[in-house]
Amino acid sequence: MRALFVGGLIDNSELDLDGQEPPRHYPPETGSGQSRYRLHAVGRGNGGIACAVYGAPDSDPEEVLRISGERGYSRRFETELQRVD
């Protein structure tokens, strides 16, 4: 699955994630107890999760979804993004 980032230091970056489910926070362990990015949405397709959208900790969830729409993540991965609460 592909991790996509909105806001913060690595805005508009991507990386591959292993596993069946994306972690709630990325990176999962920062050593400080504070995660830098939080999972906001997933796109399911082909029997699993195709992409996971992460937002910086201070990002408004609606803003993360709006920016994801502008960047065409759903179209690119041929899926609908589903908000994760």
Side-chain angles (χ1 to χ4, degrees):
M1 96 188 69
R2 208 67 180 147
L4 310 160
F5 297 91
V6 175
L9 296 173
I10 57 173
D11 181 45
N12 207 20
S13 295
E14 305 180 15
L15 61 88
D16 287 324
L17 291 177
D18 294 326
Q20 300 296 318
E21 293 288 323
R24 288 290 279 170
H25 298 282
Y26 189 87
E29 302 288 333
T30 63
S32 68
Q34 174 89 22
S35 296
R36 289 182 277 182
Y37 285 81
R38 185 175 73 79
L39 181 64
H40 285 276
V42 296
R44 298 183 188 279
N46 296 329
I49 296 177
C51 64
V53 179
Y54 289 88
D58 58 349
S59 297
D60 175 48
E62 293 303 318
E63 185 71 2
V64 171
L65 294 176
R66 183 190 67 76
I67 292 170
S68 299
E70 287 179 359
R71 292 179 181 170
Y73 293 155
S74 292
R75 181 179 67 251
R76 182 173 159 209
F77 291 93
E78 298 178 352
T79 186
E80 297 249 350
L81 290 179
Q82 300 170 347
R83 185 176 175 163
V84 175
D85 292 317

